[in-house]
Amino acid sequence: MMGTVIDLLVDHQEAEKILDELEKRLKLYEKRFSANDPTSELMVLNHNAGIKKVVLQPELYELIKLGKENSLTSEQLNIAIGPLIQTWRIGFSDAKVPSDEVIKGLLAKTNPHNIQLDDQNQTAFLTEKGMLLDLGALAKGFIADLLVAYLKEENVTGALINLGGNVVVFGTARQHEDGLWRIGVQDPSKDRNQTRLILKVTNQSVVTSGIYERSLIKENKRYHHIIDPKTGYPVKTEVLSLTIVSKKSVDGEIWTTRLFGLPTAEIIRTLNRTSGIEGIIITTDEVILSDGIRDLM
């Protein structure tokens, strides 16, 4: 589901019932936020780019509004990047390397100022034909937070949600005496499930983004899947992976995207001066920790 492997663990007297409901909600959210399902609620908006405004379901409207706000204040995060993502399609069987001319043309369709939102009527309008919103930089975190809110309503005492690189833990981990969950951070230079370090957390989100996850090899050149909204090409970076620890999972998604592609010194400065987030940078040569991470190890 959602193009990844999902793990759900719930500590509750009616765990099976809770898990069934989580699965049901995940399918609903995938249908709501997906840019890869031509019948999703998001794609109804995309299909009407340059044609008409569309009334959105409140959760979709909220996420697009959050995405636009961050797109206007960050050079690395742009939810209007859809035309480039859907042309490169790295991670899919029809992935390809677009020409420079094509990329230049697509960049002209990615201006987030051209997303018009109406709070009162909950409508959105993409003012230019060919625009495509892609919420991939935010959606998994937003969905994880929605699932945690449901678990709290059901008085769940402990839970783990892993949406593939996006992990949220809630309540007590009964298998450990200290009640803390252990979350491994993938070693990007090794096979899947080989960790570089382990964090001890509770009621927190751990989001990792990395250039090792999906790629395209063309004419002996490797292209990873994180596209730079400014150039239209994969981000040039020395960072193999960036992990953000935060209370809300959508914040982890926002900050991994906002910081990925920046120099490591700038990333670590930002982490250390921003309240509520901690981070781990892994490059080919070193692991760099923000000031508060050691308290979680």
Side-chain angles (χ1 to χ4, degrees):
M1 195 185 304
M2 299 171 65
T4 189
V5 176
I6 292 176
D7 298 307
L8 302 171
L9 192 156
V10 170
D11 188 358
H12 190 274
Q13 287 184 335
E14 297 184 273
E16 286 298 328
K17 175 185 165 188
I18 301 288
L19 288 168
D20 287 345
E21 180 63 24
L22 288 176
E23 182 178 356
K24 178 182 168 185
R25 291 185 184 219
L26 279 166
K27 289 178 179 175
L28 170 68
Y29 297 146
E30 182 177 37
K31 199 70 178 173
R32 183 155 294 157
F33 302 120
S34 175
N36 296 308
D37 178 349
T39 65
S40 73
E41 294 176 34
L42 173 64
M43 290 305 289
V44 172
L45 174 63
N46 285 337
H47 291 153
N48 282 287
I51 300 173
K52 65 179 182 179
K53 60 186 175 184
V54 174
V55 178
L56 301 177
Q57 192 279 338
E59 290 167 346
L60 180 56
Y61 185 87
E62 181 185 351
L63 185 54
I64 290 174
K65 184 174 180 179
L66 179 64
K68 180 182 177 182
E69 290 170 355
N70 279 276
S71 299
L72 295 178
T73 56
S74 167
E75 291 189 342
Q76 307 300 125
L77 194 162
N78 183 355
I79 63 168
I81 199 172
L84 288 160
I85 300 296
Q86 290 301 324
T87 300
W88 280 94
R89 291 191 56 81
I90 294 176
F92 295 89
S93 59
D94 55 347
K96 59 183 177 295
V97 180
S99 68
D100 290 339
E101 185 178 9
V102 166
I103 287 176
K104 286 176 183 173
L106 295 173
L107 281 170
K109 307 277 187 184
T110 63
N111 186 348
H113 287 93
N114 292 337
I115 306 168
Q116 290 186 353
L117 299 175
D118 181 337
D119 286 348
Q120 185 172 357
N121 296 304
Q122 298 275 294
T123 62
F125 178 44
L126 309 181
T127 64
E128 189 171 354
K129 278 209 166 195
M131 287 184 71
L132 291 171
L133 299 192
D134 187 307
L135 302 174
L138 303 170
K140 284 199 291 187
F142 189 75
I143 291 169
D145 290 335
L146 291 173
L147 296 181
V148 168
Y150 162 70
L151 294 175
K152 289 180 178 177
E153 290 173 4
E154 295 296 326
N155 297 316
V156 169
T157 56
L160 179 147
I161 300 167
N162 179 5
L163 303 183
N166 182 311
V167 180
V168 180
V169 291
F170 171 69
T172 303
R174 285 200 296 175
Q175 62 270 44
H176 298 295
E177 287 187 4
D178 59 10
L180 299 174
W181 298 87
R182 270 60 168 174
I183 305 299
V185 176
Q186 172 71 35
D187 186 331
S189 63
K190 295 184 178 177
D191 292 337
R192 181 69 66 180
N193 296 324
Q194 296 197 50
T195 58
R196 190 66 169 262
L197 52 87
I198 294 175
L199 300 174
K200 299 176 183 176
V201 293
T202 188
N203 299 325
Q204 285 168 297
S205 162
V206 181
V207 173
T208 297
S209 185
I211 63 174
Y212 60 93
E213 292 177 333
R214 285 179 280 152
S215 62
L216 165 68
I217 306 292
K218 198 74 173 179
E219 297 178 351
N220 296 320
K221 186 172 180 180
R222 180 179 180 275
Y223 300 86
H224 65 77
H225 75 291
I226 301 178
I227 303 299
D228 187 332
K230 303 185 298 299
T231 67
Y233 286 87
V235 169
K236 291 182 178 178
T237 177
E238 60 188 311
V239 175
L240 298 180
S241 77
L242 172 61
T243 298
I244 299 290
V245 181
S246 57
K247 286 290 183 185
K248 289 181 64 178
S249 194
V250 73
D251 290 339
E253 294 269 36
I254 287 170
W255 281 106
T256 52
T257 307
R258 289 182 70 115
L259 296 176
F260 213 101
L262 300 179
T264 55
E266 186 173 346
I267 294 174
I268 209 71
R269 275 199 304 272
T270 304
L271 290 171
N272 286 335
R273 72 187 180 207
T274 304
S275 175
I277 57 170
E278 298 292 342
I280 301 162
I281 305 166
I282 300 180
T283 72
T284 52
D285 302 319
E286 59 185 339
V287 178
I288 309 169
L289 309 177
S290 68
D291 291 344
I293 280 292
R294 284 186 175 78
D295 296 337
L296 305 176
M297 297 174 66

